[in-house]
Amino acid sequence: MKAIVITESGGPEVLKLQEVEDPKIKDDQVLIRVAATALNRADTIQRQGGHPPPKGESEYLGLECSGTIEAVGKNVHRWKIGDQVCALLGGGGYAEKVAVPAGQVLPVLTGVSLEDAASFPEVACTVWSTVFMMSHLSQGETILIHGASSGIGTFTIQLAKYHGVKVFITAGSEEKLAACKDLGADVCINYKTEDFVSRVKEETGGKGVDVILDNIGASYLQKNLESLNFDGRLFLIGFMGGTVAEINLISLLARRLTVQAAGLRNRDPENKARIVNEVEKNVWPAIAAGKVKPVVYKRIPLAEASEGHRLMESSKHIGKIVLLV
């Protein structure tokens, strides 16, 4: 099969389409002939030499895919050859075929194209496992989403609105703010021209929001804590603004705040399967009802993966970047 290979650590130009060996499936896995995969920030970090795949996972990039099942292991009963599916991967999506545990596979829903289905698994599993399963965001609450024009952000806006949550977002351009508003965001803040803490306090009568989903990290930590309501929850899923910060711990105690952080890729297959099962029960109905839609900024041929990486690192995109295999 063909796959995108990282020929050496470096910039997007190190990504090359090459002939490689086909993956072999285990008894509890399925083999997917990939139709599309989607970019994630972790892919660019792995290309640069960081964020290696977990032990036993494919060395190739790609944390999600969609496609058609081509083979099933002897212990797999739900899926059959010919099923159109999408899947959460530990790696291997930037290829013509990928082996994946059957518990990490989801059906492609009616009304969603096979290619666009590739944009869902990573964001759906990340958002549901963090904001909902761990931070317990619920109807009538408020959430602040940083980096809201990203794939994660655009998905969170829609899912939060589906669950009756008031949505605050930050983004860095009028185009991105407008896109977030169109998806349902209630309060849109340009972080380049406004202080988000002041605006959040103003819009909430001085209380703050209940949950914050943050991909910035250190440089936003104290400001995030200042933006939370009593019993507020801050969830960290990225560190684009650094990993080391000093905070005033009194604010956590005085307002009973919780700071949480989690990733998805390094969880064991059983843990991932539990999350995927929860996503199918709780998120897939929202997609089936048309309340959560794929937000795809650009579709690029797999051979031009380097162009996709350049686009992601420019941060000009809104939503997901999909590679067509």
Side-chain angles (χ1 to χ4, degrees), residues 139-151:
Q139 185 175 354
E141 288 194 315
T142 49
I143 185 171
L144 170 62
I145 306 161
H146 292 302
S149 62
S150 67

Side-chain angles (χ1 to χ4, degrees), residues 38-106:
L39 271 69
N40 289 280
R41 190 70 63 172
D43 301 345
T44 65
I45 299 170
Q46 184 176 337
R47 189 203 71 227
Q48 294 165 355
H51 204 57
K55 188 178 179 183
E57 295 286 0
S58 171
E59 66 188 276
Y60 306 119
L61 295 168
L63 300 179
E64 56 194 335
C65 76
S66 61
T68 305
I69 291 184
E70 202 169 75
V72 296
K74 67 179 184 182
N75 294 337
V76 176
H77 305 294
R78 176 178 180 183
W79 307 107
K80 63 184 185 301
I81 293 169
D83 284 346
Q84 291 197 334
V85 296
C86 56
L88 179 70
L89 309 174
Y94 288 31
E96 291 178 328
K97 299 179 184 182
V98 65
V100 56
Q104 291 168 219
V105 178
L106 289 152

Side-chain angles (χ1 to χ4, degrees), residues 137-168:
L137 180 68
S138 16
Q139 185 175 354
E141 288 194 315
T142 49
I143 185 171
L144 170 62
I145 306 161
H146 292 302
S149 62
S150 67
I152 293 275
T154 53
F155 190 89
T156 309
I157 293 168
Q158 297 179 82
L159 193 59
K161 291 306 296 179
Y162 176 75
H163 284 278
V165 171
K166 184 173 183 179
V167 175
F168 294 64

Side-chain angles (χ1 to χ4, degrees), residues 104-130:
Q104 291 168 219
V105 178
L106 289 152
V108 173
L109 294 166
T110 303
V112 178
S113 73
L114 184 58
E115 289 83 7
D116 285 357
S119 70
F120 278 140
E122 178 75 14
V123 292
C125 291
T126 296
V127 173
W128 189 259
S129 66
T130 56

Side-chain angles (χ1 to χ4, degrees), residues 4-319:
I4 292 291
V5 174
I6 303 170
T7 54
E8 60 179 316
S9 298
E13 70 281 353
V14 305
L15 301 178
K16 304 293 182 187
L17 188 65
Q18 296 182 359
E19 197 70 36
V20 301
E21 283 190 21
D22 284 13
K24 294 178 174 60
I25 61 167
K26 298 173 183 172
D27 291 344
D28 62 346
Q29 292 184 326
V30 301
L31 184 68
I32 298 174
R33 175 165 284 280
V34 178
T37 185
L39 271 69
N40 289 280
R41 190 70 63 172
D43 301 345
T44 65
I45 299 170
Q46 184 176 337
R47 189 203 71 227
Q48 294 165 355
H51 204 57
K55 188 178 179 183
E57 295 286 0
S58 171
E59 66 188 276
Y60 306 119
L61 295 168
L63 300 179
E64 56 194 335
C65 76
S66 61
T68 305
I69 291 184
E70 202 169 75
V72 296
K74 67 179 184 182
N75 294 337
V76 176
H77 305 294
R78 176 178 180 183
W79 307 107
K80 63 184 185 301
I81 293 169
D83 284 346
Q84 291 197 334
V85 296
C86 56
L88 179 70
L89 309 174
Y94 288 31
E96 291 178 328
K97 299 179 184 182
V98 65
V100 56
Q104 291 168 219
V105 178
L106 289 152
V108 173
L109 294 166
T110 303
V112 178
S113 73
L114 184 58
E115 289 83 7
D116 285 357
S119 70
F120 278 140
E122 178 75 14
V123 292
C125 291
T126 296
V127 173
W128 189 259
S129 66
T130 56
V131 172
F132 291 92
M133 289 175 72
M134 292 178 72
S135 287
H136 305 292
L137 180 68
S138 16
Q139 185 175 354
E141 288 194 315
T142 49
I143 185 171
L144 170 62
I145 306 161
H146 292 302
S149 62
S150 67
I152 293 275
T154 53
F155 190 89
T156 309
I157 293 168
Q158 297 179 82
L159 193 59
K161 291 306 296 179
Y162 176 75
H163 284 278
V165 171
K166 184 173 183 179
V167 175
F168 294 64
I169 66 97
T170 64
S173 74
E174 292 308 311
E175 181 191 7
K176 290 180 176 181
L177 293 169
C180 293
K181 187 172 178 58
D182 287 345
L183 290 170
D186 299 287
V187 179
C188 302
I189 305 164
N190 187 331
Y191 67 82
K192 292 181 179 176
T193 59
E194 285 189 86
D195 174 53
F196 71 80
V197 181
S198 301
R199 184 75 187 279
V200 164
K201 289 292 182 68
E202 178 189 328
E203 296 280 350
T204 58
K207 291 180 179 178
V209 294
D210 299 302
V211 173
I212 297 175
L213 183 62
D214 178 50
N215 62 345
I216 303 299
S219 61
Y220 271 19
L221 184 55
Q222 187 62 46
K223 292 176 74 174
N224 278 333
L225 297 177
E226 291 167 11
S227 301
L228 284 170
N229 193 3
F230 280 87
D231 299 307
R233 292 87 77 196
L234 167 62
F235 210 107
L236 300 166
I237 57 167
F239 306 102
M240 293 174 68
T243 57
V244 179
E246 185 174 300
I247 60 168
N248 183 346
L249 292 170
I250 291 174
S251 60
L252 271 73
L253 186 147
R255 283 182 289 127
R256 304 183 297 274
L257 304 183
T258 302
V259 179
Q260 298 168 296
L264 198 55
R265 189 179 195 184
N266 290 308
R267 295 173 186 253
D268 62 43
E270 292 76 21
N271 193 299
K272 287 180 181 177
R274 279 198 298 276
I275 292 169
V276 168
N277 184 51
E278 288 289 316
V279 163
E280 186 170 1
K281 284 194 298 188
N282 296 289
V283 180
W284 251 225
I287 297 171
K291 300 299 185 183
V292 176
K293 296 181 169 70
V295 180
V296 178
Y297 184 73
K298 196 169 186 179
R299 299 167 184 83
I300 298 169
L302 180 65
E304 298 169 24
S306 56
E307 182 195 335
H309 277 232
R310 286 187 191 96
L311 178 57
M312 172 157 273
E313 290 176 323
S314 77
S315 292
K316 290 177 182 173
H317 62 292
I318 295 168

